[in-house]
Structures are given as structure tokens and as C-alpha cells.
Amino acid sequence: DRWYILDPVSLHELQKDAIARHGKNTSGIVDHIVRNLTETYGTKHINTKQDEWFWNNAGGAMGSMYVIHASVTEYLIIFGTPLGTEGHTGRHTADDYFHILHGEQWAAKAGAFEME
């Protein structure tokens, strides 16, 4: 735990609270998340510049990304596109926690005929 500042359970609760308060207003959800994280962790660890979005193409999935927190051991980003995209995240040993703020993500295991 000493290598991490963010807690997946707390982030999940924050995400649920933001969605409950702001519904499908994604900019309101992001603002709620960033404000709460800034109150908890301060600006030393949280990027409050919500206009710092850039394009990212990872695994063929093209979208824009806002980095809220990044360190050697963890990162927290908002990633998405209003247009839809396809790609893959790959398999790796990192702990990944996906919180869908609005929309959907599909997945399938190798050899599967149905999506998860």
C-alpha cells in the first residue's frame, strides 16, 4: 500500500456518487471527481487543469485523455470519445480498474463467441 495513494474502493464510491449527482452530464461528473480528489489529496498529486486533454491511440482505440494523477506505480485518467472506437487493452500484470462514467465498453476472452 505504501506505493499507492489512490484506493480503488474509494474511487468506485466517488464515481458512483458523481454519477448519482450528475447523471449523464459527463463534464459535471469529471468536475465532481476532480474537486473531491483535490480536497482529499491536494494539487501535489491531482492535476486540476481540466483543459489538458490530448489525443491518445492505444491498442487501436482512439480517444482523448485527461490525466488526473500519474506516478511510477499508478495513474488515473479520463478516457473517451463521443464518436465510438475499437481496439484492445491487452493483457498485462498491472491492476486495472475501469469505471464507466457514461457509455459502454465491450470485452471478450480469447476463444469466446459471446461478449462479456
Side-chain angles (χ1 to χ4, degrees), residues 26 53 55-56 60-64 79-87 102-104 106:
T26 309
W53 288 81
W55 288 108
N56 181 40
M62 179 75 164
S64 58
F79 175 86
T81 174
L83 306 174
T85 190
E86 294 181 13
H102 180 75
E104 59 190 8
W106 299 349

Side-chain angles (χ1 to χ4, degrees), residues 3 6 17-18 25 35 44 54 60 76 79 91 96 114:
W3 302 107
L6 301 174
D17 182 54
N25 177 356
R35 265 189 295 107
K44 177 180 178 184
F54 57 92
L76 178 63
F79 175 86
R91 295 194 176 264
D96 286 334
E114 301 291 330

Side-chain angles (χ1 to χ4, degrees), residues 42-57:
T43 56
K44 177 180 178 184
H45 298 290
I46 303 301
N47 175 16
T48 60
K49 299 174 186 165
Q50 293 185 42
D51 60 344
E52 289 190 347
W53 288 81
F54 57 92
W55 288 108
N56 181 40
N57 191 341

